[in-house]
């Protein structure tokens, strides 16, 4: 078993990790790459902190509840994520990673003020069609019992020998019967960064995003997912027990911008997608399943 870096009650400082993430010094890797088995743990952390109410407001979750948002443990675990991804043993540049998808399973609602132990590890390395993929796995336990878990899959782009240069046309877009409009203000990237700790420059300002090839700042993928789930959980028949919410990130949502949350309900679960303003291309697609 690899060593686990353990923090009690308080996560690692983000500001020192930002410097490691942004400052130059790590060369772009080449050749065969291996993702090391790295782990971190935060014990005795409360789900209630100064950022919770602001997070609820920024992401659209109701504050009139005794349960934390389904995506909130992701925020509590973020300093551990950043710790692992900025370690010297981690071979990839953090700002070169692409967030492909995210799956959260909430076994029961997480109470505001509940004390959690959070474990994070790197896992699931594989060679995908566009490069090296790996998983960042997070588990939250209360009194020794796992009540919440998450898997985020990331991509490090690599040239693929013998791969076709032609693009595969996207599948035909299915429209669902329910739609709500979502507005993403120019400042939403900075607002989300302030409550989540995720200060990737591509989300903050147009001028910082342009340094990475984007014409304008883009919304955080996890803000988009949180916004979608905040709307869905306010619909009839939503159940916060034994729920798995997954999504695949697609086209960026440029800021400022508008989007359409489009979904359908069913006996086996719900399907949802966040579409562009015209409703003809997805920013993300996902599923909600119970059981």
């Amino acid at each position: 078993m690899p060593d686990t870096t353990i923090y009690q009650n308080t996560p690692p400082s983000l500001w020192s990790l930002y410097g490691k993430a942004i400052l130059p010094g790590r060369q772009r890797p080449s050749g065969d790459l291996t993702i090391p088995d790295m782990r971190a743990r935060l014990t005795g952390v409360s789900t209630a902190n100064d950022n919770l109410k602001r997070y609820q407001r920024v992401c659209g979750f109701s504050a009139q509840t005794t349960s934390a948002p389904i995506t909130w443990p992701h925020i509590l675990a973020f300093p551990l994520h950043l710790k692992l991804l900025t370690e010297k043993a981690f071979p990839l540049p953090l700002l070169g990673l692409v967030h492909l998808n995210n799956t959260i399973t909430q076994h029961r609602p997480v109470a505001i003020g509940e004390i959690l132990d959070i474990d994070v590890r790197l896992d699931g390395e594989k060679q995908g069609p566009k490069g090296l993929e790996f998983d960042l796995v997070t588990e939250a336990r209360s009194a020794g019992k796992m009540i919440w878990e998450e898997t985020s899959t990331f991509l490090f782009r690599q040239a693929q020998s013998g791969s076709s240069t032609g693009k595969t046309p996207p599948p035909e877009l299915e429209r669902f019967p329910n739609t709500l409009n979502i507005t993403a203000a120019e400042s939403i990237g900075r607002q989300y960064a302030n409550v989540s700790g995720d200060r990737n420059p591509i989300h903050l300002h147009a001028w910082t995003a342009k340094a990475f090839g984007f014409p304008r700042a883009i919304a955080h993928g996890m803000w988009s997912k949180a916004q979608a789930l905040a709307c869905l959980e306010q619909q009839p028949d939503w159940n916060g027990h034994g729920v798995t919410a997954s999504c695949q990130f697609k086209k960026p949502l440029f800021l400022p911008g508008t989007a359409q949350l489009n979904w359908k309900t069913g006996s086996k679960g719900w399907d949802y997608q966040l579409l562009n303003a015209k409703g003809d291309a997805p920013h993300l697609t996902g599923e909600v399943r119970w059981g």
Side-chain angles (χ1 to χ4, degrees), residues 189-236:
R190 297 188 295 279
Q191 293 181 50
Y192 185 80
N194 287 336
V195 297
S196 70
D198 186 346
R199 298 183 181 275
N200 189 322
I202 64 175
H203 304 303
L204 302 183
H205 298 277
W207 63 271
T208 54
K210 286 178 181 177
F212 294 89
F214 294 97
R216 305 202 306 273
I218 64 174
H220 293 76
M222 289 303 295
W223 175 84
S224 297
K225 180 176 184 178
Q227 273 282 324
L229 294 178
C231 292
L232 293 178
E233 73 172 19
Q234 297 174 37
Q235 307 307 311

Side-chain angles (χ1 to χ4, degrees), residues 163-179:
S163 61
S164 172
T165 56
K167 291 186 176 180
T168 302
E172 184 176 351
L173 183 66
E174 179 184 1
R175 288 304 303 259
F176 302 142
N178 307 294
T179 300

Side-chain angles (χ1 to χ4, degrees), residues 18 29 35 44 74 84 149 152 170 212 223 227 237 249 254 256:
Y18 292 149
I35 303 299
H74 170 88
L84 293 187
E149 55 187 306
S152 282
F212 294 89
W223 175 84
Q227 273 282 324
D237 300 326
F249 299 110
F254 290 104

Side-chain angles (χ1 to χ4, degrees), residues 24-62:
R26 179 174 292 174
Q27 299 295 319
R28 184 176 177 86
S30 59
D32 294 334
L33 294 171
T34 299
I35 303 299
D37 188 351
M38 298 167 60
R39 300 166 185 252
R41 175 179 297 159
L42 174 60
T43 64
V45 62
S46 173
T47 58
N49 65 31
D50 294 340
N51 280 335
L52 176 56
K53 289 186 177 180
R54 289 192 297 154
Y55 178 83
Q56 290 169 317
R57 183 173 64 253
V58 167
C59 296
F61 288 100
S62 171

Side-chain angles (χ1 to χ4, degrees), residues 90-154:
F90 184 72
L92 306 177
L94 177 60
L95 296 182
L97 300 179
V98 179
H99 197 177
L100 293 180
N101 54 63
N102 175 271
T103 298
I104 291 173
T105 297
Q106 180 175 268
H107 298 285
R108 65 155 173 83
V110 179
I112 295 176
E114 190 164 6
I115 303 301
L116 302 180
D117 297 329
I118 298 176
D119 289 279
V120 172
R121 69 179 186 274
L122 300 177
D123 203 353
E125 175 187 334
K126 68 176 182 179
Q127 197 67 37
K130 296 183 178 181
L132 182 67
E133 298 179 11
F134 68 93
D135 294 335
L136 188 57
V137 179
T138 305
E139 298 173 345
R141 291 173 171 82
S142 177
K145 185 175 182 180
M146 186 157 64
I147 61 171
W148 186 97
E149 55 187 306
E150 172 192 58
T151 299
S152 282
T153 301
F154 291 88

